[in-house]
């Protein structure tokens, strides 16, 4: 919850299995990973909660700045914090630094292939086989919502323009459609369509 109390529930019965309290309030929803449930706090500390007991394991020391912890492969990736780094944590808790990240408060997109996040000057994409994140220039700037589908990323900017960029061609948009209005929810790819909820209504775009 907003005070930092985490609850583990049994899916079969709905009964509480454990309860634990983080050292400080969280800034992100828990993310399931092979290291446990990942969560970061207002102090810039990243933790992994053991799924069966709720035991808290520290992944990164406190640091100033926004820190995000996301699942990646058999480990996790930490974005930002006081060092503004991309830090990959493996299953044996080895830490590998791979470039820079300065995420802002837009929901990132996570897939089995990698992660994408929004910075002040646009979107970055990172995958386990990359030495550093890639700037996805084709999605533009002033992004308010982001999602993807494994082969492409979708973003909506502050003017209400939706853009699609293929991950293997990050420099240019595959297509772009101006809708106008404000979007604060990630676009939803479903079948051949991309559903985008704007303040002017719901739109379905051909992907």
């Amino acid at each position: 919850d907003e005070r930092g109390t985490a609850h583990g529930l049994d899916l079969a019965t709905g009964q509480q299995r454990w309860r634990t309290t983080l050292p400080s309030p969280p800034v992100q929803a828990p993310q399931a990973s092979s290291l446990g449930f990942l969560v970061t706090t207002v102090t810039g500390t990243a933790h992994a909660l053991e799924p069966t007991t709720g035991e808290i394991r520290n992944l990164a020391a406190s640091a100033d700045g926004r820190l995000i912890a996301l699942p990646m492969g058999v480990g996790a990736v930490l974005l930002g914090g006081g060092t503004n780094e991309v830090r990959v944590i493996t299953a044996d808790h080895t830490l590998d630094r791979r470039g820079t990240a300065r995420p802002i408060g837009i929901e990132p997109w996570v897939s089995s292939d990698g992660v994408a996040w929004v910075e002040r000057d646009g979107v970055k994409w990172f995958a386990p086989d990359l030495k550093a994140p890639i700037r996805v220039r084709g999605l533009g700037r002033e992004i308010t919502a982001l999602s993807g589908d494994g082969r492409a990323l979708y973003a909506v900017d502050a003017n209400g323009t939706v853009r699609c960029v293929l991950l293997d061609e990050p420099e240019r948009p595959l297509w772009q459609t101006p809708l106008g209005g404000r979007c604060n929810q990630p676009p939803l790819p479903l079948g051949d369509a991309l559903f985008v909820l704007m303040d002017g209504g719901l739109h379905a775009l051909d992907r």
Side-chain angles (χ1 to χ4, degrees):
D1 60 25
E2 62 184 12
R3 294 173 296 180
T5 302
H7 305 265
L9 303 180
D10 187 292
L11 287 177
T13 65
Q15 298 297 311
Q16 179 173 285
R17 297 183 62 179
W18 51 261
R19 183 176 69 178
T20 190
T21 302
L22 298 171
S24 54
V27 295
Q28 71 172 65
Q31 296 274 347
S33 80
S34 60
L35 300 180
F37 290 104
L38 305 174
V39 64
T40 57
T41 68
V42 295
T43 61
T45 305
H47 306 283
L49 304 182
E50 209 286 323
T52 58
T53 66
E55 178 186 356
I56 301 173
R57 290 181 292 171
N58 294 334
L59 299 180
S62 296
D64 296 329
R66 182 178 179 83
L67 179 66
I68 297 176
L70 301 172
M72 175 166 285
V74 295
V77 61
L78 306 180
L79 306 174
T83 57
N84 289 324
E85 291 179 314
V86 176
R87 290 170 284 176
V88 176
I89 301 178
T90 61
D92 61 1
H93 287 238
T94 301
L95 191 146
D96 184 14
R97 291 175 169 83
R98 308 234 200 128
T100 62
R102 297 176 174 85
I104 59 175
I106 306 296
E107 184 177 346
W109 182 70
V110 182
S111 76
S112 58
D113 299 315
V115 299
W117 65 94
V118 179
E119 301 191 353
R120 293 193 182 280
D121 54 356
V123 173
K124 280 188 175 180
W125 161 258
F126 181 72
D129 59 342
L130 296 177
K131 294 182 178 179
I134 295 172
R135 186 165 299 285
V136 188
R137 301 185 189 279
L139 289 178
R141 302 162 63 95
E142 297 184 358
I143 304 302
T144 62
L146 173 70
S147 69
D149 64 8
R151 72 178 186 94
L153 295 175
Y154 307 96
V156 187
D157 68 19
N159 295 316
T161 297
V162 185
R163 293 182 178 86
C164 169
V165 167
L166 296 176
L167 287 171
D168 55 2
E169 297 184 50
E171 292 293 321
R172 64 182 184 88
L174 178 65
W175 54 260
Q176 56 184 11
T177 302
L179 297 178
R182 179 82 178 179
C183 175
N184 293 308
Q185 297 292 327
L188 175 63
L190 189 62
D192 294 329
L194 180 71
F195 293 92
V196 185
L197 182 62
M198 311 290 290
D199 55 15
L202 179 63
H203 303 265
L205 308 179
D206 188 343
R207 291 203 282 160

